[in-house]
């Protein structure tokens, strides 16, 4: 099978991610050197976005989300690929989560479902309220954390806390109807 070629530059956390990605696709990468991302790397990402476009593909863990947030603040119009936590598990006893552990299929699926955020002004009209998230069991109560994790995987927007979920749903223009449909699908499968 021929490897898909990506015009965009893919931002990953480190060398292992680059190596793993290049086993599956043809793409140039920028490595953030983990959460040590600095102004030099952010300038590289901004320049890459202007020239070729960028896809942020970080690990589905706290550090990966922190890096994603830093990049989104510096270069808000980059695209995002999200890998579900279950598909990024390492094989060792104290398993780490990472792009380098994902199967070829999981990487290709994540990169085929790239999403682009929109500005908060554009997305305000479709905003899902905090009340909606509480009513849907995604913000408070027993099991809300697990539901957020599953919904983040289903919608390919990554894991978030309650407050971040509201912002990310808005940023990726996910409507209340789409959220409810995704929740129903998640609950059918579990």
């Amino acid at each position: 099978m021929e490897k898909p070629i990506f015009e965009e530059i893919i931002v990953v956390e480190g060398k292992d991610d680059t190596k793993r990605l290049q086993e599956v696709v043809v793409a140039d990468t920028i490595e953030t050197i983990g959460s040590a991302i600095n102004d030099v790397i952010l300038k590289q990402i901004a320049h890459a976005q202007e020239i070729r476009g960028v896809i942020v593909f970080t690990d589905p863990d706290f550090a990966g989300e922190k890096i994603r947030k830093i990049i989104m603040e510096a270069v808000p119009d980059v695209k995002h690929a999200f890998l579900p936590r279950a598909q990024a598990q390492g094989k060792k006893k104290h398993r780490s989560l990472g792009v380098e552990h994902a199967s070829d299929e999981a990487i290709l699926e994540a990169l085929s479902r790239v999403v682009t955020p929109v500005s908060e002004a554009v997305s305000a009209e479709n905003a899902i309220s905090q009340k909606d998230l509480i009513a849907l069991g995604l913000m408070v109560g027993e099991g809300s954390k697990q539901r957020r994790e599953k919904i983040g995987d289903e919608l390919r927007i990554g894991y978030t806390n309650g407050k971040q979920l509201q912002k990310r749903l808005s940023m990726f223009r996910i409507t209340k109807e789409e959220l409810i449909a995704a929740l129903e699908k998640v609950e059918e499968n579990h």
Side-chain angles (χ1 to χ4, degrees):
M1 182 175 100
E2 200 148 319
K3 294 180 190 177
I5 300 170
F6 283 82
E7 170 66 21
E8 297 95 343
I9 295 172
I10 302 175
V11 175
V12 294
E13 291 180 46
K15 287 179 178 27
D16 290 341
D17 296 330
T18 292
K19 185 178 174 215
R20 180 69 188 106
L21 213 53
Q22 290 175 342
E23 291 171 0
V24 183
V25 300
V26 176
D28 294 319
T29 62
I30 293 174
E31 296 166 3
T32 68
I33 314 162
S35 55
I37 189 167
N38 59 36
D39 286 342
V40 173
I41 294 168
L42 288 172
K43 284 179 182 159
Q44 274 185 325
I45 293 169
H47 182 67
Q49 176 64 14
E50 286 175 26
I51 305 300
R52 291 177 46 191
V54 167
I55 299 171
V56 177
F57 194 31
T58 56
D59 297 345
D61 58 11
F62 178 79
E65 285 301 315
K66 182 179 176 191
I67 294 164
R68 189 180 296 277
K69 188 176 178 188
I70 291 167
I71 294 169
M72 285 170 60
E73 286 174 10
V75 191
D77 53 343
V78 295
K79 296 176 182 174
H80 297 267
F82 292 94
L83 190 62
R85 293 167 74 91
Q87 295 178 359
Q89 295 283 345
K91 307 240 183 302
K92 293 186 175 126
K93 186 178 179 186
H94 299 291
R95 303 187 292 192
S96 63
L97 291 173
V99 170
E100 75 269 19
H101 302 304
S103 68
D104 293 4
E105 296 76 22
I107 290 170
L108 291 170
E109 172 73 9
L111 290 171
S112 73
R113 294 181 66 180
V114 168
V115 288
T116 307
V118 294
S119 71
E120 288 182 42
V122 172
S123 60
E125 64 205 46
N126 292 330
I128 296 169
S129 72
Q130 215 172 25
K131 261 187 183 170
D132 294 331
L133 295 176
I134 292 168
L136 293 169
L138 291 166
M139 267 189 104
V140 291
E142 194 174 323
S144 62
K145 180 180 179 182
Q146 290 79 10
R147 276 193 287 289
R148 280 195 310 275
E149 185 174 326
K150 290 174 186 170
I151 205 72
D153 289 348
E154 178 63 31
L155 293 171
R156 297 281 174 162
I157 60 171
Y159 173 75
T160 60
N161 65 29
K163 193 173 180 181
Q164 290 171 328
L165 176 61
Q166 185 179 15
K167 187 173 182 179
R168 205 162 285 173
L169 290 168
S170 176
M171 197 183 334
F172 291 109
R173 294 186 187 158
I174 295 169
T175 65
K176 189 174 176 181
E177 292 75 29
E178 290 169 323
L179 176 61
I180 290 168
L183 257 175
E184 288 170 356
K185 189 172 178 185
V186 161
E187 288 174 7
E188 263 177 36
N189 296 333
H190 293 82

